[in-house]
Amino acid sequence: SAVISQKPSRDICQRGTSLTIQCQVDSQVTMMFWYRQQPGQSLTLIATANQGSEATYESGFVIDKFPISRPNLTFSTLTVSNMSPEDSSIYLCSVDPGQGAPGILNTEAFFGQGTRLTVV
Amino acid sequence: DAKTTQPPSMDCAEGRAANLPCNHSTISGNEYVYWYRQIHSQGPQYIIHGLKNNETNEMASLIITEDRKSSTLILPHATLRDTAVYYCIVPIRGAQKLVFGQGTRLTINP
């Protein structure tokens, strides 16, 4: 298993500012992911945080808006830049501790408790 | 991800078995079926996963049809704490990421 610590747990921010969310894992993990969950909606994958290289973004998400760092195998940050009220969401970090056979995801993922962001 | 279809909501009486269906008719031969749940205000929690055979753990059982086009998650004795949104996910082989659909909102009634 993996224990994930996300900071901050919640924040209220002014529009136009940026917020950096931290995700710390208690063990080295292969894969780290960032999700967004808008009010009343399901989770949407933002990007895969790659250790030592640029993150891989999903359609509709760009690096300028959501820069991601992953300096090592236990830590990642997501920045929400130039925020607007539409960015008000819960942002979640997720990790997959290991890998199954190449190309096959067969281990369970773990999620942090999320960062509840309100932009005013 | 292979498209999954789940009913948007279900109700179940406390103490009874909750059976949550999922259709994944486009699943490929080596793609697994995963189930997660999200209790209100918490991050998603892994429940179970399977490939071909039925699986059981301390939380639930997973029944996968022989043609693998559908599956059922069974919570054998549902409690009020099982009220949550349940997600059936079939990750694309090689993608190694989870893409969530809308899930089934399960309400356990006293």
Side-chain angles (χ1 to χ4, degrees):
Chain A
S1 66
V3 177
I4 302 170
S5 233
Q6 250 186 267
K7 293 181 181 179
S9 58
R10 59 178 63 230
D11 207 341
I12 301 173
C13 300
Q14 297 291 322
R15 67 177 67 202
T17 63
S18 298
L19 175 71
T20 295
I21 302 167
Q22 299 181 358
C23 178
Q24 179 74 53
V25 192
D26 68 343
S27 58
Q28 293 186 343
V29 294
T30 308
M31 309 290 286
M32 293 183 77
F33 307 90
W34 287 98
Y35 288 83
R36 179 176 73 181
Q37 188 168 28
Q38 295 176 301
Q41 301 296 313
S42 181
L43 287 81
T44 300
L45 181 62
I46 298 173
T48 302
N50 300 309
Q51 195 266 328
S53 64
E54 194 171 282
T56 304
Y57 289 85
E58 298 297 309
S59 175
F61 296 95
V62 296
I63 188 172
D64 290 346
K65 176 67 176 177
F66 298 101
I68 288 171
S69 78
R70 187 163 177 206
N72 54 52
L73 294 176
T74 64
F75 186 77
S76 178
T77 66
L78 168 74
T79 299
V80 186
S81 303
N82 188 24
M83 288 183 286
S84 67
E86 291 70 37
D87 294 319
S88 297
S89 292
I90 298 173
Y91 292 86
L92 296 111
C93 171
S94 171
V95 304
D96 179 0
Q99 290 178 309
I104 296 178
L105 176 70
N106 66 1
T107 59
E108 62 268 30
F110 297 90
F111 288 79
Q113 290 303 301
T115 297
R116 184 179 295 273
L117 170 62
T118 302
V119 183
V120 298
Chain B
D1 285 9
K3 181 176 173 58
T4 61
T5 304
Q6 298 178 254
S9 63
M10 292 182 64
D11 285 82
C12 180
E14 187 178 18
R16 305 296 293 270
N19 298 290
L20 292 91
C22 179
N23 287 323
H24 31 79
S25 58
T26 60
I27 193 170
S28 297
N30 286 326
E31 290 175 341
Y32 285 74
V33 181
Y34 283 78
W35 284 83
Y36 283 77
R37 74 179 181 183
Q38 187 175 26
I39 296 170
H40 183 62
S41 296
Q42 297 183 21
Q45 175 190 24
Y46 165 82
I47 301 173
I48 199 167
H49 73 280
L51 181 62
K52 295 179 182 178
N53 301 318
N54 298 336
E55 302 287 345
T56 296
N57 62 21
E58 64 278 5
M59 290 181 67
S61 294
L62 175 61
I63 308 298
I64 303 174
T65 58
E66 192 168 343
D67 63 7
R68 301 207 330 118
K69 293 184 177 182
S70 65
S71 60
T72 300
L73 179 75
I74 301 173
L75 308 178
H77 305 287
T79 71
L80 298 179
R81 288 176 293 183
D82 291 322
T83 293
V85 179
Y86 287 77
Y87 297 98
C88 168
I89 305 170
V90 178
I92 295 173
R93 180 192 171 115
Q96 296 211 291
K97 59 185 178 182
L98 297 173
V99 177
F100 288 77
Q102 293 305 306
T104 295
R105 183 174 298 276
L106 175 67
T107 302
I108 305 300
N109 299 307

